[in-house]
Amino acid sequence: MIRMTLSEIADAVGGTLHLARGDGPETVVSGAVDTDSRVIGTGDIFVAKPGEATDGHRFVGAAAEAGAALAVVEHLVETSEDAPVSQIVVADAVEALADLARTVVARVRSAGALRIVGITGSNGKTTTKNLLARILQDEGETIAPRGSYNNEVGAPLTMLRVEETTRYLVSEFGASGPGEIARLAGLVTPDVGVVLMVGLAHAGGFGGVEATQKAKTELVEAIRPGGVAVLNADDPRVAAMASVAEARGAAVRWFGRGPSAEIRAEDVEVTASGTRCVIVRGAERMPLHLRVLGEHHVMNALAAIAAAGELGVSLPDAVARLETVEIAERWRMQPLGSERVRIINDAYNASPDSMSAALRTLAQITEPGQRKVAVLGAMSELGEFAGEEHDRIGLQAVRLRIERIVVVGRDARRLYLAAVGEGSWDGEAVFFETADEAYEYLLGELRDGDRVLVKSSNSAGLRHLGDRLGESFS
């Protein structure tokens, strides 16, 4: 974080400063900010966030002993005399975290050349964030979220990593309900806002796809006047956001596969080593070999190229940098195992759209004589749509002629029943209550030439099953 005095931080978060021995209001703090006491080091700021499982106030003492210079708390915490720490008492630690992020970003922005990109969408946010960060890092110091730091805690923590020397901040905005993206994007008012797609991810929290569309529009509404909205021309719900951008005084740039897109992909070919296509931007045409598995990631690459272009990056530079990316992120279409048995671990997140895309990728990269094996778990946060969407994925798996459909977990049982009902009743589809049971089955079932997709929402825990399979068949 940038250098700030204790009194400046207290003013930023609207809190009351309680000084520890040796500190004064003008004592300067410039360490990292975190809500996890285990990563706090000398000079850092610990935010004691109450949580569902535990309360951060229990760890203020540990943070102080680790060298924290400041704790942001909702009530004073007594620490040992050997490890005192100044504390700022606030009404809400999470709101204070956001207020501090807003202040820090505003200061850096006013003093330098910081440019900010915000990314949202029902799927593809993390991949697009990583692709864009890879493009921008060769242009100047770039800050982007670690993993999927895109919620009310993760997004501000990412923002607080900016320094006076930071040139680009790439923020990923997720949401499980209305108003969340507006709050997060409002902290930074992006110069460029990217909307990837509107689907059924987290639909249970929003109440349907129309409400999801409205929530994703919140990013466009937060773009700075004179900024740019980078929109998916192939998604009608995203395309409808153009009028909102124009009302904000923002320009619109289109990416997609169709002819109306300003940045588009042609001649797309999917293989086991990635996806090849031709990127078209105006009169420019550039071949791209995207090593991240899955045809659906072409759209994420297009979005990253479009956003980078608005920040002055040439098409040849953007393409060359994208070709160095091997995986988008751990547990996201991550190749494991070996050529003998290839495991594709994509079990960090799952929605109906991403599940469908992953199954299509499995079908596309499997050669004649090889078997397609899908290890599938539940898709979470779908609310009233959960049953029918699990049915649809079960049907699709059968229709794609997946030779083995291994369904894991009680919450995914309806997917298994749909597959059986569609005609996968001769052992092609099997069901297991636990990942351990599925692992033992797969150890005996998998054979040379198999291509295995492991796909589920994070809560189903199949990412660890994918890792175990990858190690066993490496």
Side-chain angles (χ1 to χ4, degrees):
M1 192 186 80
I2 63 173
R3 292 168 58 85
M4 294 179 70
T5 66
L6 292 176
S7 62
E8 286 175 329
I9 296 172
D11 288 342
V13 302
T16 303
L17 176 61
H18 297 263
L19 294 169
R21 182 179 67 247
D23 284 344
E26 301 309 308
T27 297
V28 174
V29 177
S30 60
V33 183
D34 215 296
T35 59
D36 187 344
S37 63
R38 295 169 296 182
V39 301
I40 293 294
T42 302
D44 290 348
I45 299 172
F46 175 60
V47 179
K49 179 182 74 70
E52 294 180 5
T54 188
D55 185 343
H57 293 82
R58 295 176 52 197
F59 305 100
V60 171
E65 291 173 3
L70 174 67
V72 178
V73 297
E74 294 182 2
H75 57 79
L76 280 176
V77 177
E78 185 176 349
T79 59
S80 73
E81 292 186 6
D82 294 333
V85 64
S86 291
Q87 300 177 43
I88 296 175
V89 179
V90 297
D92 186 309
V94 174
E95 288 295 331
L97 185 67
D99 290 338
L100 184 57
R102 180 189 292 107
T103 299
V104 167
V105 171
R107 287 194 181 192
V108 175
R109 195 179 218 165
S110 65
L114 178 66
R115 304 291 300 280
I116 300 172
V117 181
I119 300 172
T120 195
S122 297
N123 294 296
K125 295 182 294 296
T126 298
T127 298
T128 303
K129 170 262 299 183
N130 287 336
L131 295 178
L132 178 58
R134 174 60 192 94
I135 294 172
L136 294 178
Q137 69 184 32
D138 287 355
E139 300 290 315
E141 182 181 315
T142 300
I143 298 296
R146 302 183 181 102
S148 291
Y149 265 34
N150 61 24
N151 63 8
E152 61 180 359
V153 173
L157 287 177
T158 298
M159 297 168 190
L160 286 165
R161 289 166 50 208
V162 302
E163 303 280 356
E164 288 86 351
T165 54
T166 303
R167 187 170 175 190
Y168 302 106
L169 169 64
V170 180
S171 287
E172 176 185 341
F173 299 127
S176 57
E180 294 181 22
I181 292 174
R183 287 193 294 274
L184 296 176
L187 300 178
V188 293
T189 56
D191 300 286
V192 179
V194 180
V195 184
L196 299 169
M197 66 173 298
V198 173
L200 280 174
H202 309 295
F206 290 110
V209 71
E210 291 78 12
T212 302
Q213 177 185 7
K214 185 176 180 181
K216 302 306 179 187
T217 305
E218 293 170 7
L219 173 57
V220 179
E221 294 170 337
I223 295 172
R224 299 185 87 187
V228 180
V230 175
L231 303 179
N232 181 350
D234 299 347
D235 187 326
R237 292 188 175 91
V238 176
M241 300 177 192
S243 60
V244 177
E246 291 161 356
R248 289 278 301 172
V252 176
R253 297 291 180 266
W254 300 101
F255 69 93
R257 299 280 296 273
S260 64
E262 296 165 282
I263 298 93
R264 64 184 184 275
E266 297 180 349
D267 303 328
V268 178
E269 178 187 2
V270 182
T271 70
S273 64
T275 305
R276 296 183 183 275
C277 63
V278 175
I279 305 297
V280 180
R281 184 168 71 180
E284 296 180 280
R285 297 177 63 88
M286 288 287 302
L288 167 66
H289 179 204
L290 187 66
R291 289 192 279 176
V292 181
L293 288 177
E295 182 177 359
H296 50 296
H297 289 308
V298 170
M299 289 293 284
N300 300 328
L302 290 172
I305 291 169
E310 294 306 311
L311 299 173
V313 181
S314 71
L315 181 59
D317 283 345
V319 167
R321 295 165 192 172
L322 287 179
E323 289 189 333
T324 69
V325 180
E326 296 185 7
I327 64 169
E329 185 100 4
R330 186 183 181 191
W331 300 318
R332 296 175 190 270
M333 298 302 286
Q334 180 183 7
L336 299 171
S338 64
E339 280 305 307
R340 184 172 68 87
V341 177
R342 175 63 68 201
I343 311 296
I344 303 168
N345 195 352
D346 192 31
Y348 190 83
N349 267 327
S351 69
D353 292 312
S354 68
M355 185 79 84
S356 179
L359 286 171
R360 290 197 303 272
T361 298
L362 177 64
Q364 289 170 325
I365 68 173
T366 304
E367 301 291 338
Q370 299 175 338
R371 285 197 311 174
K372 302 178 287 293
V373 180
V375 184
L376 307 177
M379 300 176 286
S380 62
E381 299 183 61
L382 292 177
E384 65 182 285
F385 306 99
E388 62 188 78
E389 290 302 325
H390 282 89
D391 287 348
R392 188 172 66 82
I393 295 302
L395 298 178
Q396 183 184 18
V398 175
R399 291 168 184 175
L400 286 172
R401 300 183 184 280
I402 307 295
E403 283 86 356
R404 288 290 181 272
I405 303 168
V406 181
V407 182
V408 185
R410 187 169 302 174
D411 290 342
R413 185 172 177 82
R414 189 155 166 177
L415 192 160
Y416 162 73
L417 295 175
V420 171
E422 181 66 8
S424 188
W425 56 73
D426 193 23
E428 297 94 341
V430 293
F431 174 79
F432 298 98
E433 290 276 356
T434 70
D436 286 342
E437 292 172 332
Y439 175 72
E440 293 300 326
Y441 166 79
L442 289 162
L443 283 183
E445 173 64 25
L446 296 181
R447 65 194 192 204
D448 287 1
D450 284 353
R451 298 297 177 254
V452 185
L453 170 70
V454 183
K455 180 70 174 172
S456 73
S457 283
N458 194 5
S459 59
L462 295 198
R463 62 194 186 282
H464 303 302
L465 172 59
D467 286 344
R468 292 175 70 188
L469 290 171
E471 184 175 350
S472 296
F473 290 98
S474 63

